[in-house]
Amino acid sequence: MKCLRVAYADFWPNFDQEDNFFSRVLSDEYRLVPSNDPEICFHSCYGFSYRRFRCKRIFYTAECRRPNFDESDWALTFDRDVPHPRHYRLPYYAWVPQLSEVFNPKRLEEISEKERFCNFIYSNPRPQERKEFFKLLSAYRHVESGGKVFNNIGGEIPGGFAGKIEFMRQFKFSIAFENVSYPGY
């Protein structure tokens, strides 16, 4: 199996550099070797350390950010409207196993068996539409908030990402507004 030197730069906290979407796809064909002199650098939008690598750079973001093709050879994003031949649409929920499981359509009987109504897990207080929706829905029926915004469960949900997924599984519905509105995001 051919070796491929790779680097990961500027991803979110707790990004697993050994077990992630990119490593799983490539490991069928390559033995991946972490390197400070990579052949390919996968990078995201949380910094600029990727600029130190002189190799093929592949940009990925789950945020509402457009790729800069002057600094990246390829881009994988949520965006439906990037008219560029080196862009591929790859929304976050499509490759994160825990999210694809949560977002798979469920039979109505499975949803109706759940006793808890709806959850809301946000820490960014800026998006007004999201807060207004929470207030309106909460006037109808209790919505459990486990983030910093409108927290009503006695503290934030423990366990990081896995804890949030476990929390969400207990409910019929989740309020899932993004921080900004943009086509495809």
Side-chain angles (χ1 to χ4, degrees):
M1 190 177 282
K2 183 180 177 196
C3 288
L4 180 65
R5 296 184 322 274
V6 298
Y8 297 96
D10 308 314
F11 279 86
W12 49 88
N14 302 320
F15 176 81
D16 189 337
Q17 294 194 14
E18 293 179 15
D19 184 20
N20 57 68
F21 173 78
F22 311 107
S23 65
R24 288 189 293 275
V25 168
L26 290 171
S27 64
D28 287 344
E29 298 291 326
Y30 298 95
R31 185 171 62 82
L32 301 179
V33 178
S35 176
N36 289 324
D37 182 26
E39 296 166 82
I40 295 176
C41 172
F42 293 95
H43 69 96
S44 194
C45 61
Y46 301 103
F48 300 97
S49 67
Y50 69 91
R51 290 177 175 167
R52 73 178 188 256
F53 297 113
R54 301 289 174 228
C55 61
K56 294 287 183 197
R57 293 191 285 210
I58 300 174
F59 174 70
Y60 174 78
T61 185
E63 301 295 344
C64 190
R65 307 259 176 97
R66 283 269 168 99
N68 178 348
F69 288 103
D70 292 333
E71 295 193 351
S72 301
D73 297 287
W74 293 88
L76 309 167
T77 76
F78 71 91
D79 205 328
R80 290 185 173 119
D81 297 324
V82 176
H84 199 285
R86 293 181 289 146
H87 176 263
Y88 181 78
R89 183 170 191 268
L90 183 67
Y92 186 62
Y93 66 83
W95 63 271
V96 176
Q98 299 93 329
L99 288 178
S100 59
E101 177 187 324
V102 170
F103 290 116
N104 277 340
K106 304 287 184 190
R107 293 189 340 252
L108 286 177
E109 300 84 41
E110 292 174 10
I111 294 172
S112 65
E113 290 171 2
K114 295 182 178 188
E115 293 182 19
R116 295 170 90 176
F117 173 58
C118 186
N119 67 72
F120 178 89
I121 309 170
Y122 291 97
S123 294
N124 181 343
R126 289 187 300 272
Q128 295 303 312
E129 295 89 354
R130 185 166 64 200
K131 293 190 311 188
E132 288 303 315
F133 185 81
F134 173 86
K135 290 175 185 176
L136 289 169
L137 190 58
S138 293
Y140 164 72
R141 191 160 168 197
H142 181 69
V143 175
E144 295 184 45
S145 177
K148 291 178 183 173
V149 176
F150 301 134
N151 187 289
N152 60 13
I153 65 168
E156 291 183 57
I157 300 161
F161 184 73
K164 289 179 182 178
I165 296 298
E166 263 321 298
F167 183 74
M168 291 171 69
R169 281 191 181 116
Q170 302 172 47
F171 294 85
K172 293 179 183 181
F173 306 102
S174 294
I175 297 176
F177 284 56
E178 278 296 348
N179 293 328
V180 296
S181 179
Y182 188 84
Y185 184 68

